Amino acid sequence: MFESLFGSSMKTQMVAPEKALAGRDQPVLPTARPHTVLGTPITGPWPEGTRVLYLAMGCFWGAEEIFWQVPGVTSTAVGYMGGTTPNPTYEEVCTARTGHTETALVAYDPAVVSEEELLKIFWERHDPTQGYRQGNDVGTQYRSAVYWTTPEQEAAVRDTEERYQKVLTARGLDPITTEVAPAEGRTFYYAEDYHQQYLDKNPNGYRCHATTGIPFPGAA
């Protein structure tokens, strides 16, 4: 996103933790406020029974927009996850020296929308085989990733990844490169306020449209 729009070079090798930027003690999102579309908190607390799943699929502007439209999703937010630098800024993440990937937080009611339904959208709406890029967006912060918070999510991630890989392999595509891991031990750092619900504030803003074009297989 930043690098593609402004022509800056990107590194495509994961930074070693000891070489990552130092970051800061204070968060870059100074104040919490309601979701501009859903009207719900973007930082919690969540209603009882809410589950949270973290999904990275390239530019987080478009990823967040996709999920706030899903019935059963109660809130979304964007941030940085999976790296080393504490409380990074957007500009720091774009140097590829924080280790983070642009991530969408998806808070949802599992009685209304299932993990499989969310993951079907995730797999179909980006290209999980591209490594450190999505389309023209190149860099480690654009890598595909899923970070789960419950056993049910982990089971769904592993099942849907295996099923989608079979379809991709049959069509001659490369192996999935998505990072799949528990959210525990990986802090989600909220991005700056201007990134939150960016495409609601800027309807003609940038969207990454990278995709395999291959639908997720039907239910087993």
Side-chain angles (χ1 to χ4, degrees):
M1 177 169 47
F2 180 91
E3 306 303 331
S4 295
L5 291 175
F6 298 101
S8 301
S9 61
M10 286 292 295
K11 293 182 179 179
T12 55
Q13 293 185 351
M14 183 59 65
V15 64
E18 65 273 15
K19 295 183 178 180
L21 298 176
R24 57 200 44 79
D25 294 331
Q26 297 300 315
V28 299
L29 180 66
T31 57
R33 50 103 177 121
H35 196 288
T36 61
V37 178
L38 301 176
T40 52
I42 64 171
T43 58
W46 316 115
E48 184 176 355
T50 300
R51 293 177 184 169
V52 175
L53 184 62
Y54 299 97
L55 301 170
M57 46 199 292
C59 171
F60 54 16
W61 295 343
E64 185 187 22
E65 180 188 44
I66 289 168
F67 287 102
W68 79 49
Q69 300 178 69
V70 177
V73 169
T74 56
S75 191
T76 61
V78 295
Y80 315 114
M81 197 169 183
T84 302
T85 301
N87 297 301
T89 66
Y90 179 60
E91 289 74 19
E92 288 172 341
V93 171
C94 286
T95 68
R97 294 180 59 201
T98 72
H100 295 292
T101 184
E102 295 189 18
T103 305
L105 176 157
V106 180
Y108 64 98
D109 181 350
V112 179
V113 61
S114 69
E115 284 80 17
E116 179 169 323
E117 290 172 307
L118 293 174
L119 290 164
K120 175 181 183 294
I121 295 168
F122 170 77
W123 295 119
E124 289 183 340
R125 298 294 293 272
H126 78 300
D127 186 343
T129 72
Q130 290 196 344
Y132 294 147
R133 68 178 299 158
Q134 279 297 303
N136 292 327
D137 294 332
V138 179
T140 57
Q141 82 267 29
Y142 299 117
R143 70 186 185 274
S144 173
V146 181
Y147 305 113
W148 61 76
T149 60
T150 72
E152 294 86 356
Q153 291 175 353
E154 178 182 5
V157 169
R158 296 194 184 281
D159 175 63
T160 57
E161 179 184 18
E162 180 180 1
R163 289 161 58 192
Y164 199 48
Q165 182 64 75
K166 290 179 179 178
V167 175
L168 298 182
T169 300
R171 298 284 289 272
L173 272 74
D174 293 332
I176 288 172
T177 59
T178 302
E179 178 183 349
V180 294
E184 184 177 3
R186 295 169 174 82
T187 302
F188 175 81
Y189 296 104
Y190 282 85
E192 295 85 344
D193 186 69
Y194 73 93
H195 289 298
Q196 307 297 335
Q197 297 87 65
Y198 181 88
L199 290 173
D200 177 51
K201 305 169 189 173
N202 303 275
N204 297 319
Y206 174 78
R207 293 167 175 83
C208 179
H209 296 293
T211 175
T212 65
I214 298 174
F216 187 81

